[in-house]
Amino acid sequence: MELGIFMSHFFNALTLGLLLALIASGLTIIFGFLNIINFGHGALYMLGAYLGYQIYHVTGSFTLAILLASVIMGIVGLLLQRYVLIKLSGKSPVYVVLFTFGFALFIENLTRIIWGPNMISVSPPSMLSGSITIGYPFPVYRLFLIVFCSIVLLGVYFLLTKTKIGIIVRAGTEDEETASVLGVNVKLIGVGVFAAGTALAALAGVVTGPYLTLEPHMGMAIIIDAFIVLVIGGMTSFAGTIVAGLAIGFLQVFGGIYFSELTIVFTLTLMILVIIKNPKGLGALFNRMT
């Protein structure tokens, strides 16, 4: 493989891996604090993508689309947790799985009604269009995705590890009862965590628009990869999620070069090997490192 082509594949893998990590990061913080298996996460990602497209189409501002779509979807997540999911806490996880799966189907069909069943192409902003040469022509927008996703992921990681609110969230993740005894309003923090996880999904959806085409099934298509990243990363480890997303991105891109039909097999094989080695996934490694 020529160096230029290799670099192109390398940056494609980096783009995909960081996007998967960003999508799965919302799942990680939601599961870590609330112990909720949210099958509707992909639908929230998709709805954020369509909402961002609509705002971008109307205003012409991609920055405004990112901000507004994330805030609006964060509010949707807040209301969903505050008035629906919180009522299912303490009950069998099956109820949450069934509700979130049904919610995903509802959002997918609602999207078909509002925006239609056809694929929608989103053009990147003019300043992010075109290509640059890194030994091989590479789209500027994909470089933007690499930088943007890296900044967001590092920002959330810093928030979780270096700030007071992050310490509270991590305390609730480790021991909810002890956190409650110490005066932490676990329910209120839980609502905020779900809203933040939903906003991260929407954020990923908006920036994915110019990278992929929008279509009503995109939420269901991404949720499988997102859960695989979640499992490999250790379910509650944010750093593990980032590494797992990158691993899946590189595996799918470079594995797909020679065995395009077997990429999902490679992905599932990696997940099985990680689980066999350590059921806690990569999160156990990072816990030992800290």
Side-chain angles (χ1 to χ4, degrees), residues 7-274:
M7 292 302 296
S8 177
H9 288 315
F10 176 85
F11 282 109
N12 279 329
L14 191 58
T15 305
L16 177 60
L18 288 169
L19 266 177
L20 287 174
L22 182 59
I23 295 167
S25 64
L27 274 177
T28 300
I29 62 173
I30 288 173
F31 181 83
F33 192 88
L34 297 168
N35 202 30
I36 289 178
I37 302 175
N38 183 18
F39 277 95
H41 194 77
L44 295 169
Y45 151 83
M46 175 194 65
L47 189 57
Y50 273 94
L51 188 59
Y53 155 75
Q54 193 66 51
I55 296 171
Y56 180 36
H57 180 72
V58 172
T59 66
S61 172
F62 192 64
T63 302
L64 191 61
I66 292 174
L67 294 175
L68 283 183
S70 300
V71 171
I72 292 171
M73 291 305 299
I75 294 172
V76 170
L78 184 150
L79 296 175
L80 190 62
Q81 170 63 18
R82 175 65 180 83
Y83 294 104
V84 181
L85 292 174
I86 200 169
K87 299 182 185 301
L88 299 177
S89 61
K91 297 183 180 180
S92 170
V94 174
Y95 290 103
V96 176
V97 171
L98 289 175
F99 172 79
T100 55
F101 185 73
F103 177 77
L105 295 177
F106 169 76
I107 293 298
E108 181 176 325
N109 283 282
L110 181 65
T111 302
R112 292 179 188 274
I113 293 172
I114 297 176
W115 286 283
N118 298 325
M119 293 183 177
I120 298 176
S121 296
V122 182
S123 300
S126 56
M127 64 180 299
L128 297 176
S129 60
S131 301
I132 62 173
T133 301
I134 313 177
Y136 197 82
F138 191 77
V140 174
Y141 187 77
R142 296 192 184 186
L143 290 178
F144 161 76
L145 280 179
I146 291 171
V147 175
F148 180 83
C149 291
S150 298
I151 291 173
V152 173
L153 289 169
L154 289 174
V156 176
Y157 181 76
F158 177 84
L159 182 69
L160 290 174
T161 57
K162 303 297 183 180
T163 65
K164 184 177 180 180
I165 186 65
I167 293 172
I168 293 173
V169 171
R170 290 165 61 200
T173 301
E174 294 294 331
D175 193 333
E176 182 178 326
E177 292 184 3
T178 301
S180 298
V181 171
L182 294 175
V184 175
N185 190 333
V186 175
K187 288 187 177 180
L188 179 62
I189 297 297
V191 170
V193 165
F194 196 93
T198 302
L200 283 172
L203 185 67
V206 177
V207 297
T208 298
Y211 174 61
L212 303 172
T213 55
L214 305 186
E215 52 96 11
H217 192 63
M218 63 185 291
M220 287 295 187
I222 200 64
I223 195 63
I224 297 175
D225 284 337
F227 271 111
I228 291 174
V229 170
L230 180 69
V231 172
I232 293 176
M235 302 297 286
T236 61
S237 171
F238 195 85
T241 296
I242 296 174
V243 175
L246 289 170
I248 295 301
F250 275 86
L251 188 61
Q252 290 191 356
V253 170
F254 282 96
I257 294 174
Y258 302 105
F259 307 99
S260 58
E261 297 84 1
L262 298 177
T263 52
I264 186 62
V265 177
F266 295 149
T267 302
L268 292 173
T269 300
L270 176 61
M271 182 182 71
I272 292 170
L273 290 175
V274 170

